[in-house]
Each structure stands twice: as C-alpha cells, then as structure tokens.
Amino acid sequence: GICFDPELKHRSNAADLLGSHGAKLKVAETNSVAVSDRAYNAFKRAESRQSGFKKGVAKQGHGRAEDAGAGKTRGGAMDGNVRMHIAAAINAGLIDRCNGVVKEGKEAMVYHADGGWKGRRSRQQAEDDDGGGGGAEDEISSVVHYSGEGALDTVGSDGYDVAVKVFKRMTEFKGRGTYVDGDSRYHKQKFKTNDQRDQVVLWTEKEYRNLIRAYRAGVPVPKPLYRKENILFLRFLGENGWPSPQIKEIDMKKGSKKWTTLYAQTLVAVRRLYHCARLIHADLSEYNILICPTWQASHGHLITSDERTADDETLQVVLIDFGQSVEIGHPSAAKWLGRDLSTVRDFFVKQGIKALPNEDAERYVTDPFEEVDDAENGETGINEMEVDLAKTKEKDNNWRHTKRGWDDKKEMEILLEKLKGTSR
C-alpha cells in the first residue's frame, strides 16, 4: 500500500503557500520549512472567503477588516513568504485567521487577524494562577525577545485580536537612512549599503525594538507581540474588525474641553516617551495618533465587557508607527522633537483650543523629572532590549528607565495648569 509521510505533506503545504518561492524548497536539503495541515487549511479557507470582495480601503485610510484577496500581492506586501509566516502564526496559536486589510499606507499594509487559542488559554491560566485575578503582571512575558525571532511558540495575544503589519518589499525607503545611521544601536550598519530587501527587514526590526521600549516604559502604544522578517504582529486596536480612528477622523465640536484633554494626553505621552523610553517619535502627527478606549490599550489580558468600568471606557490617545523613532542622543533628536511638537500644536490649534507655544512645549517634554534617582536608573542603558530576557531566571517586568513615582494624572494636572495661562 501507499505510505503517508506527514513530513513531506507539511513541506508540500509550505511550498504551496510560498508560490513561486516554493521551488527553493525542492532544491534545499532541509526540513526547516513546513506548515501543518491545520494552518494550511485555515489559510486556504480564509483565501477562498476573500475572493471576489472589493478592496475598498483608500491609501492611508482606515476601514473595517475587508476581505481583499489575501492570496494576491498588494503593493508587494502579501507575497509567498508572508503567507507562510502567517500560516505559522496560525499553527502556533497566535492568530486564528487573517481576515483582510484595515489600512494601506505607502510603506505597509495592516491586516486584521482573529486572536488565537494561545491568548485565550493564557488568560484562563492567569486567572487560575491568581484565583480569578487579572494576571496583569504577565503582560511583558511575550515581549522578551528584542528581535522577535524564534519566540513564536511563547507568544499569545492576551485574548485580543491581532494587527498584522506587513512592510512592502517593493517600497524604496529613500531618506530613511538618517533615522538609522545616526542611531547608536545601529552604528555598525549603514542603511544605504543594505540591499532593498535588507532595508525593509531592518526597518521592521527597528519599529519592533522601539515599540518594545515604549511599551515597557508605559507609553500608550499597541503591544508588540512578534516580528519575522518584514512582518510585525501587534495588538489590534479596535472592535469587531473596525480599527480605532486616527485623531484626525474624530468629529468633535471645535473648542471642546475634550480636545484639550486629548492634547494634554498627547504631550504627556511624548514626555513619557522621552524620559522613560528615551526615544523621540520623529514623525508624530494626526495620522499616527489613534483614539481608543483605555481598556484596549491597557496592559495585561483582555477585560471583558461585563468587567469594564467607566474608567476603562474613557478615551485616550495611542501613538503608532515607530519605525523612524530615534534615541534622545541622536544628532537630530532635538530638531525632530521640535518638528513633532509643532505639528501636534498646529493640529490642535485648528480644533479651537489653547496649546503651548513650541518652545514651552519642548521645555515641558524635556524638563527633568525631579523625583528620579539618576544614579540608580542610570544614563547609559540604551541597548537593554538586545538581551534575551527569556534566558534569564529572574523575571524582570520593569524597563530600566522607568521613573519611580511617575504619574500620568499628575503630569496631566501640571500641563493643564500651564495651559490656563496660555494664549492661542
């Protein structure tokens, strides 16, 4: 009779997902590339559902997770390699399926994916361990690898859906070198000397590393989950496939106090990014500030609807798109911080509220946080995320530059007081 070889079948699955790249598998003498039947079938089912639907997402716009034909390459994003890595994420339990595009930009496509079984199980385990508690102290456990490579089997989504951000390989990253070459973390790499493929991978890695630093520092950002080549897996901010809106999409009365609150939240986030993550965003505008309920951006496992309080439903800003972000020691950091704050100010002034003059805003962000013990927190730890914390026996949930005594509410009060004496 015919003998069934599951290993060959899984390699055949991988070759099919890779498409034209699958020929490499027939030549390579390796067993390292394989996709289980479960992951392969899940991806193919999603692909069949997605055929025949309109794309419907404008460039740099947002829309519900529409089914855009995941089997096709859009702007060089969803190629064979990407499909195989998404199938691997399905097989590992990070996601259940990839539904479609929710945002298309010049550099990347963002897909919505249903959170996988591992996130649901990790919540139940945390509740069992805590006797029904929230398990909030476990939120960093899936962000322990700075590179994201090799950590897929340890990553869960905490019960949330997942955003799959795929950087387009065909995109030319012109003008991006200055954001990499002046960064001390990449002092041995010249961006322009890398080929186009390596540039995209390097840019993806840089965004992932920056997001880790910001997240661990308590800055409101999407939780980074995993990275592979030109793909980032992040917490999806939104509900039922609808992404949280950009702040420019908010329809609110001009001059409303809510605009003042959002402005203050933005500046507090920038100040925290500066002091606690030691980063400058370097491309901050109304296009990469999202507005979402606090529960979506909170650390820890998903808070179910019947568990949420009024505070959990309060709207807050979340900063996104950190590929260009640089350390505060970068030669152009001060210039880019000034540009960020000027752009933010221009947007909020158009909403009819008071905003700090640019110089005052820069002073607010950069003024020292007085309660910090510099000797203990140190000033030189810029490469902490290069250490694979998963290999350490002691679990460390605190980013080295976290400022003891930092309180966003107090920072908001200080800033709102400053705004009272400000003319537009």
Side-chain angles (χ1 to χ4, degrees), residues 227-392:
R227 177 187 73 85
K228 189 69 176 181
E229 296 185 1
N230 62 320
I231 314 166
L232 289 180
F233 293 85
L234 313 166
R235 177 183 295 178
F236 179 79
L237 299 179
E239 244 184 319
N240 299 319
W242 288 96
S244 296
Q246 297 165 318
I247 196 169
K248 72 181 185 69
E249 298 171 323
I250 298 296
D251 184 13
M252 199 156 56
K253 182 180 178 182
K254 290 187 182 297
S256 168
K257 290 182 179 179
K258 293 179 181 178
W259 280 121
T260 300
T261 298
L262 294 178
Y263 170 70
Q265 287 181 358
T266 302
L267 257 62
V268 169
V270 173
R271 175 167 164 80
R272 186 162 192 161
L273 183 69
Y274 184 92
H275 289 283
C276 300
R278 304 183 69 75
L279 291 174
I280 303 294
H281 187 282
D283 191 29
L284 194 60
S285 73
E286 61 270 29
Y287 290 90
N288 41 39
I289 301 173
L290 302 185
I291 304 299
C292 71
T294 300
W295 64 265
Q296 290 184 8
S298 64
H299 286 206
H301 294 280
L302 174 66
I303 303 172
T304 59
S305 57
D306 58 343
E307 297 172 325
R308 294 171 200 156
T309 66
D311 287 342
D312 293 326
E313 298 290 354
T314 302
L315 295 181
Q316 72 164 77
V317 301
V318 175
L319 311 186
I320 61 171
D321 297 340
F322 276 76
Q324 71 294 319
S325 300
V326 299
E327 293 183 322
I328 61 176
H330 189 287
S332 299
K335 178 180 72 174
W336 290 334
L337 173 61
R339 184 179 66 188
D340 282 355
L341 295 173
S342 177
T343 303
V344 167
R345 183 182 192 280
D346 289 346
F347 170 78
F348 280 102
V349 167
K350 290 178 183 177
Q351 311 314 315
I353 65 168
K354 294 181 179 180
L356 293 179
N358 291 333
E359 288 186 2
D360 290 350
E362 289 181 42
R363 191 176 303 113
Y364 166 74
V365 169
T366 59
D367 273 354
F369 183 70
E370 299 297 339
E371 297 181 37
V372 172
D373 182 351
D374 289 328
E376 184 171 326
N377 281 277
E379 294 294 330
T380 61
I382 58 176
N383 293 314
E384 292 82 358
M385 297 314 300
E386 295 181 5
V387 179
D388 182 357
L389 296 178
K391 295 179 180 178
T392 64

Side-chain angles (χ1 to χ4, degrees), residues 14-33:
D16 184 67
L17 289 180
L18 279 169
S20 62
H21 297 282
K24 299 176 183 178
L25 297 181
K26 299 176 182 178
V27 177
E29 295 297 325
T30 177
N31 295 322
S32 61
V33 184

Side-chain angles (χ1 to χ4, degrees), residues 30-272:
T30 177
N31 295 322
S32 61
V33 184
V35 174
S36 73
D37 286 346
R38 177 184 177 277
Y40 176 81
N41 291 334
F43 198 95
K44 298 304 284 187
R45 282 195 300 271
E47 200 171 73
S48 65
R49 286 193 304 271
Q50 290 165 348
S51 60
F53 285 79
K54 292 182 179 180
K55 294 181 179 180
V57 176
K59 288 201 172 189
Q60 299 187 25
H62 286 66
R64 190 175 186 276
E66 45 84 345
D67 298 323
K72 300 178 181 179
T73 297
R74 290 184 67 185
M78 187 64 80
D79 59 20
N81 266 329
V82 172
R83 293 197 297 170
M84 189 180 72
H85 293 316
I86 288 177
I90 293 171
N91 196 44
L94 175 57
I95 62 176
D96 272 344
R97 68 186 187 189
C98 190
N99 295 314
V101 179
V102 291
K103 180 184 177 184
E104 179 175 3
K106 294 178 181 178
E107 297 176 351
M109 308 279 288
V110 179
Y111 298 82
H112 168 267
D114 296 330
W117 58 266
K118 191 171 291 180
R120 295 189 292 272
R121 188 179 72 173
S122 63
R123 174 181 172 82
Q124 185 60 52
Q125 287 176 330
E127 290 179 347
D128 292 343
D129 292 343
D130 295 345
E137 292 304 314
D138 291 332
E139 74 271 15
I140 304 297
S141 61
S142 62
V143 198
V144 293
H145 298 265
Y146 105 85
S147 68
E149 304 286 0
L152 183 55
D153 61 346
T154 69
V155 179
S157 66
D158 298 329
Y160 291 87
D161 285 350
V162 176
V164 183
K165 185 173 184 178
V166 183
F167 288 87
K168 301 175 182 178
R169 293 194 184 279
M170 65 180 291
T171 300
E172 291 187 16
F173 283 74
K174 292 181 179 179
R176 300 298 184 184
T178 185
Y179 294 100
V180 177
D181 295 341
D183 192 318
S184 61
R185 295 170 295 177
Y186 296 93
H187 68 282
K188 293 183 179 179
Q189 303 182 55
K190 288 295 182 182
F191 191 74
K192 65 180 180 181
T193 61
N194 287 283
D195 62 28
Q196 185 172 307
R197 179 186 178 89
D198 289 340
Q199 285 182 354
V200 176
V201 172
L202 182 61
W203 194 257
T204 308
E205 176 198 310
K206 188 167 184 282
E207 172 151 7
Y208 184 76
R209 292 177 69 174
N210 287 336
L211 279 169
I212 288 174
R213 287 178 67 154
Y215 183 83
R216 297 193 73 171
V219 180
V221 299
K223 180 178 179 179
L225 301 173
Y226 179 68
R227 177 187 73 85
K228 189 69 176 181
E229 296 185 1
N230 62 320
I231 314 166
L232 289 180
F233 293 85
L234 313 166
R235 177 183 295 178
F236 179 79
L237 299 179
E239 244 184 319
N240 299 319
W242 288 96
S244 296
Q246 297 165 318
I247 196 169
K248 72 181 185 69
E249 298 171 323
I250 298 296
D251 184 13
M252 199 156 56
K253 182 180 178 182
K254 290 187 182 297
S256 168
K257 290 182 179 179
K258 293 179 181 178
W259 280 121
T260 300
T261 298
L262 294 178
Y263 170 70
Q265 287 181 358
T266 302
L267 257 62
V268 169
V270 173
R271 175 167 164 80
R272 186 162 192 161

